Amino acid sequence: MRPEILNPLFTDTTYLPGVGPKVAALINKVAGPRVIDLLFTLPTGLIDRSARPKITEAVEGQLVTLEVSIDKHQPPPKGMSRLPYKVLCSDESGFITLAFFHARADYLLKMLPEGSKRLISGKIERFSGGLQIVHPDHIVDPEKADELPLFEPVYPLTASLHSKTMRKAVSGAVEKCPDLREWLDPSVVAREKWPSWRDAMRSVHQPQSRLDLSDDNVHRQRLAYDELLANQLALALTRQNRQKGKGRILRGDESLRSAVQRALPFSLTNDQHQVLADIYRDMAAPTRMIRLVQGDVGSGKTVVALLALLCAVEAGAQGALMAPTEILARQHYEFIAPLLEDTNISVEIVTGRDKGQERAAKLAGLEKGYINILIGTHAIFSDDVSFNDLGLIIVDEQHRFGVFQRLALQEKGLRSDVLVMTATPIPRSLALTTYGDMDISQIREKPPGRQPVDTRAIPLERLGEVSSAVSRAIERGEQVYWVCPMVEENADIELTAVETRYAHLQQLLGDRVGLVHGKMKSAEKDAVVTAFYNKQISLLVATTVIEVGVNAPDATIMVIEHAERFGLAQLHQLRGRVGRGNRQSTCLLLYKAIEKGELGETAKARLNVLRETDDGFVIAEEDLRLRGPGDFLGSAQSGFPDFRLADASKHASLLSMARDDSALILSQDPTLSTVRGQALKTLLYLFSRNDAVKLLKSG
Ligand code: ADP
Ligand code: MG
């Protein structure tokens, strides 16, 4: 249960003064439904009215606060209501006019009685020789000077949500902030000179200068740290809980592994050896393995997967390898099956297409344990599939995040070790905040003999030359991928674009051209890709569906239209489709020039990164730096946590600190039961990490 002290923060915003259902609906659009959502919506700007000049010192265009005497009201002449209502004012230095259009005289007489003094805040203008302020933002009696905010925070707004309303709601929310027991280590607070949570919250909503809005403002840092700590602590708890959950010891005699390694036409790279050492160590441990292997396309993850599977089989268990598509599942099968031909190990493949007796036979073999290794799509986790003794599950999810989480392995009561393989090199900060509950291994080294792909950026206008070059390559017996632009908002336009390009290339090259796109049935897609793989087709026109991988070693050219629309990591993935054999390969990034053959600065910087390096990890870091985490991989479905107060790339040092801190916390107080532990539970609730708190109870 959420600690009661937090209740005021988790109620609807209608609970705040000045917020009715209508306003709450608008606030919901920019912040969220609850009081805490308002607190987490930090100001993005600042209006500074602290300049207090005399009238004659005021500069045109400046936002000022003046103290003036109200001398005389001057309503517009009768019948000229389009002219402004004027109020003439002065101080000892000079004169200024306040102007109001469509004014209500009675209201103005009340606000600005002749002969009184008033504080007026607004923007100075010059009009027919004199100074004026049109519709001042604030008019206040000097005796109530503190009602005039000299600094006003600026919040995100939406139509019909006024800044005043929003500000009032936020300050109402700030008023509701309870005084929470400190959850940070006192020495950290002292070292960083951090304020308490409540003071920090109050201060970030009352900025006094532009500096207060920067990421390294001490109040913002404290709040960002709280959020990162909640994230890291929740991940550490998940990890701690999983390690407590019983795994099993899988330790083989190496017989199969050495036989297969001898049969391989190559020897493993150092990184492959290193990753395998991590995996074997985890498998031999009594705790459950949950490990993520990151490695670029072509870095050789499949053979790592195979050896891990063999380790499980040597130990007397079964292994399963799950691929994201049927094509990939089949490629894995075709790589693995021949290597096991001379052994007594049985490997099978199950996809959604298996039906009837054949499927029934495979499932029976699996259940009886005759099948040692099963390869397939997610169909291998259908309800009717049961294993005799599944020891290791490998998910080759490439860059599709989240599949693993959705597997609900726990529900199946499986204690199997789990290995997830991804082709997306994830920047360190994102890996920490997203996969902090897994152990991570990286393959950075490419197998020897690879020639770097010659990468060039070419304006779309030169499409004709590109088509001819492609045509010549095909004459030489090479194969080509041609990727059409992504149109995120409109799948129909995307389809038209890819079909038009297909028709055009078909005219040029005849029936050696194939087409795959996302709207095709998977059997149709498979047929085309298989034809490409078998070299019945030389040119494959595709939308980004090919990203999820086909291994065609003789493909040497990758053409990407509208490269400027793709994320860097994505372009890198696509490029990884060529250069797999030993021929020189080329990647042509066709871009749409924005003006006179020029590409925008960021776009240029992005394409240059690709030309300069082939290291997916470097590219990923650059992509994150250039586009920010929201855009990394281009979409919300990327599965990265949405921070409200922290930014994993800008607060990288805070992130490492939070990681170390959470490890230390759990080593000293694994059940969070000390006084500080209780405060940390409140922190978890504050950031809605309720699930993590539940883990404490179940443990
Ligand atoms: P990934 O799945 O990481 O994209 P693959 O496992 O498909 O990469 O490997 C790409 C290619 O490299 C395959 O043809 C594979 O046989 C080959 N390969 C893997 N490891 C090595 C190695 N150590 N030396 C040479 N070739 C290798
Ligand atoms: Mg692979």
Side-chain angles (χ1 to χ4, degrees):
M1 276 265 288
R2 183 191 303 129
E4 257 172 50
I5 193 166
L6 294 182
N7 287 351
L9 303 182
F10 284 84
T11 45
D12 294 350
T13 51
T14 48
Y15 176 64
L16 299 169
V19 183
K22 265 198 193 137
V23 170
L26 297 172
I27 289 177
N28 188 30
K29 280 194 202 163
V30 294
R34 300 156 313 170
V35 172
I36 187 118
D37 298 316
L38 274 172
L39 291 176
F40 286 169
T41 305
L42 299 189
T44 53
L46 176 72
I47 299 171
D48 182 351
R49 315 183 170 280
S50 62
R52 298 286 301 266
K54 295 286 170 214
I55 291 177
T56 46
E57 295 160 357
V59 181
E60 195 181 342
Q62 193 185 12
L63 187 62
V64 296
T65 300
L66 303 172
E67 181 165 348
V68 298
S69 307
I70 310 301
D71 299 332
K72 192 171 169 7
H73 280 237
Q74 211 174 66
K78 282 235 155 13
M80 309 271 280
S81 65
R82 286 171 56 212
L83 291 180
Y85 186 114
K86 291 182 177 175
V87 178
L88 310 182
C89 312
S90 62
D91 67 7
E92 64 269 28
S93 78
F95 300 92
I96 190 163
T97 304
L98 309 181
F100 300 87
F101 291 88
H102 309 292
R104 286 198 352 249
D106 52 343
Y107 171 76
L108 289 178
L109 284 166
K110 201 170 117 219
M111 291 293 290
L112 299 158
E114 283 180 9
S116 67
K117 291 221 178 246
R118 283 293 178 266
L119 282 173
I120 308 289
S121 187
K123 196 176 195 178
I124 298 290
E125 291 176 9
R126 194 163 278 283
F127 183 71
S128 57
L131 295 177
Q132 71 169 17
I133 296 179
V134 180
H135 293 209
D137 304 325
H138 296 276
I139 300 171
V140 172
D141 186 333
E143 284 180 10
K144 298 178 188 160
D146 52 350
E147 284 179 12
L148 194 156
L150 293 182
F151 300 97
E152 287 179 284
V154 175
Y155 292 99
L157 296 175
T158 179
S160 25
L161 178 61
H162 297 292
S163 53
K164 257 187 192 159
T165 317
M166 181 66 179
R167 271 199 288 271
K168 183 156 181 229
V170 175
S171 55
V174 170
E175 288 302 306
K176 301 285 178 209
C177 276
D179 193 7
L180 302 173
R181 188 190 287 279
E182 183 58 78
W183 46 73
L184 297 184
D185 184 48
S187 66
V188 171
V189 173
R191 188 187 68 214
E192 304 291 331
K193 302 195 173 57
W194 277 341
S196 73
W197 177 77
R198 184 160 72 162
D199 286 346
M201 201 40 108
R202 194 172 289 158
S203 300
V204 294
H205 287 293
Q206 291 164 1
Q208 307 284 304
S209 80
R210 301 232 142 247
L211 277 181
D212 289 351
L213 302 173
S214 77
D215 289 318
D216 42 80
N217 165 271
V218 67
H219 305 281
R220 288 199 173 215
Q221 290 243 323
R222 148 104 221 206
L223 296 180
Y225 187 73
D226 288 338
E227 183 167 42
L228 293 168
L229 182 62
N231 164 272
Q232 290 299 298
L233 191 59
L235 289 167
L237 280 167
T238 315
R239 179 201 191 93
Q240 171 183 283
N241 190 61
R242 193 145 48 197
Q243 284 174 345
K244 240 180 342 188
K246 258 216 159 12
R248 54 188 295 181
I249 295 176
L250 292 173
R251 190 186 284 132
D253 60 3
E254 298 194 19
S255 56
L256 291 168
R257 283 172 282 171
S258 8
V260 164
Q261 281 191 61
R262 275 195 305 273
L264 285 173
F266 49 78
S267 48
L268 300 180
T269 63
N270 289 332
D271 280 6
Q272 284 170 322
H273 276 301
Q274 185 51 51
V275 169
L276 280 166
D278 293 342
I279 295 170
Y280 297 152
R281 192 185 56 241
D282 287 356
M283 290 176 73
T287 51
R288 217 173 140 196
M289 167 170 80
I290 308 281
R291 184 171 286 279
L292 177 73
V293 175
Q294 296 180 295
D296 258 348
V297 173
S299 60
K301 294 185 294 296
T302 319
V303 66
V304 169
L306 170 61
L307 291 167
L309 289 167
L310 293 176
C311 176
V313 174
E314 285 169 13
Q318 291 169 299
L321 170 59
M322 187 176 111
T325 64
E326 288 196 21
I327 305 168
L328 270 171
R330 199 149 293 124
Q331 283 192 356
H332 286 328
Y333 180 77
E334 279 159 16
F335 171 73
I336 289 174
L339 287 167
L340 298 180
E341 226 155 46
D342 298 336
T343 67
N344 54 355
I345 301 308
S346 144
V347 52
E348 264 303 347
I349 178 165
V350 167
T351 69
R353 249 193 275 166
D354 290 290
K355 297 264 148 50
Q357 278 195 338
E358 203 180 343
R359 179 179 167 88
K362 283 182 188 173
L363 296 190
L366 204 59
E367 191 158 14
K368 296 215 172 74
Y370 302 150
I371 295 174
N372 308 98
I373 294 176
L374 185 69
I375 297 170
T377 56
H378 55 271
I380 63 179
F381 289 107
S382 322
D383 283 340
D384 60 341
V385 180
S386 43
F387 290 82
N388 182 52
D389 179 21
L390 183 59
L392 171 68
I393 301 164
I394 303 181
V395 183
D396 184 7
E397 69 173 334
Q398 305 276 356
H399 46 262
R400 295 188 174 179
F401 299 101
V403 177
F404 163 68
Q405 277 83 351
R406 274 183 264 121
L407 278 179
L409 298 174
Q410 309 274 17
E411 277 166 38
K412 282 206 154 207
L414 295 171
R415 292 190 292 133
S416 324
D417 285 337
V418 176
L419 193 62
V420 179
M421 304 198 298
T422 172
T424 308
I426 300 153
R428 188 182 133 77
S429 58
L430 293 183
L432 278 185
T433 53
T434 310
Y435 293 119
D437 57 337
M438 296 197 194
D439 296 300
I440 299 183
S441 303
Q442 296 184 338
I443 310 184
R444 295 191 76 142
E445 186 186 2
K446 300 267 156 59
R450 293 286 155 81
Q451 298 195 36
V453 178
D454 179 11
T455 305
R456 300 184 198 178
I458 297 175
L460 263 177
E461 288 82 41
R462 287 171 55 194
L463 192 81
E465 289 167 52
V466 172
S467 311
S468 333
V470 160
S471 157
R472 286 194 301 274
I474 288 176
E475 294 305 327
R476 290 194 299 268
E478 299 175 27
Q479 289 186 292
V480 180
Y481 292 101
W482 191 299
V483 178
C484 281
M486 262 200 322
V487 185
E488 249 167 38
E489 319 76 42
N490 194 325
D492 291 337
I493 298 183
E494 177 166 314
L495 195 61
T496 320
V498 73
E499 278 172 342
T500 310
R501 181 61 66 227
Y502 172 62
H504 162 236
L505 290 167
Q506 218 178 11
Q507 246 177 11
L508 207 67
L509 299 162
D511 57 6
R512 279 173 300 179
V513 186
L515 170 68
V516 266
H517 58 73
K519 287 261 173 75
M520 287 163 62
K521 292 216 175 63
S522 68
E524 290 175 286
K525 267 191 282 196
D526 280 12
V528 178
V529 174
T530 309
F532 186 66
Y533 182 57
N534 294 334
K535 301 204 187 156
Q536 293 147 331
I537 290 174
S538 307
L539 173 68
L540 190 60
V541 181
T543 53
T544 47
V545 291
I546 59 159
E547 252 192 286
V548 256
V550 269
N551 187 5
D554 288 320
T556 53
I557 300 182
M558 168 65 69
V559 181
I560 305 172
E561 278 191 53
H562 279 289
E564 77 281 358
R565 291 190 199 161
F566 292 82
L568 273 190
Q570 218 174 1
L571 290 173
H572 176 65
Q573 300 275 349
L574 289 168
R575 177 172 64 180
R577 295 284 140 222
V578 295
R580 304 194 128 200
N582 33 29
R583 290 203 228 192
Q584 172 63 50
S585 298
T586 313
C587 176
L588 302 175
L589 305 169
L590 301 189
Y591 65 87
K592 171 112 177 118
I594 46 177
E595 49 191 60
K596 292 197 225 95
E598 277 303 304
L599 196 58
E601 281 306 314
T602 319
K604 212 185 270 171
R606 292 178 55 224
L607 295 186
N608 270 337
V609 173
L610 272 184
R611 293 176 45 188
E612 278 158 19
T613 178
D614 188 38
D615 184 331
F617 290 92
V618 173
I619 290 170
E621 295 287 351
E622 276 302 297
D623 205 10
L624 181 66
R625 198 177 61 77
L626 290 169
R627 298 198 301 161
D631 279 333
F632 185 76
L633 291 178
S635 67
Q637 71 197 1
S638 58
F640 294 124
D642 259 339
F643 288 118
R644 308 283 307 259
L645 307 169
D647 177 329
S649 53
K650 290 190 187 124
H651 294 126
S653 63
L654 292 183
L655 177 59
S656 312
M657 214 168 113
R659 179 179 156 87
D660 295 345
D661 202 3
S662 59
L664 186 66
I665 289 166
L666 289 188
S667 72
Q668 294 169 345
D669 181 13
T671 53
L672 297 185
S673 40
T674 60
V675 173
R676 184 178 172 212
Q678 294 293 334
L680 284 161
K681 276 189 212 167
T682 306
L683 172 71
L684 291 170
Y685 277 110
L686 190 63
F687 287 98
S688 298
R689 306 279 176 184
N690 306 14
D691 290 348
V693 185
K694 269 193 221 121
L695 291 177
L696 282 169
K697 295 208 181 84
S698 66

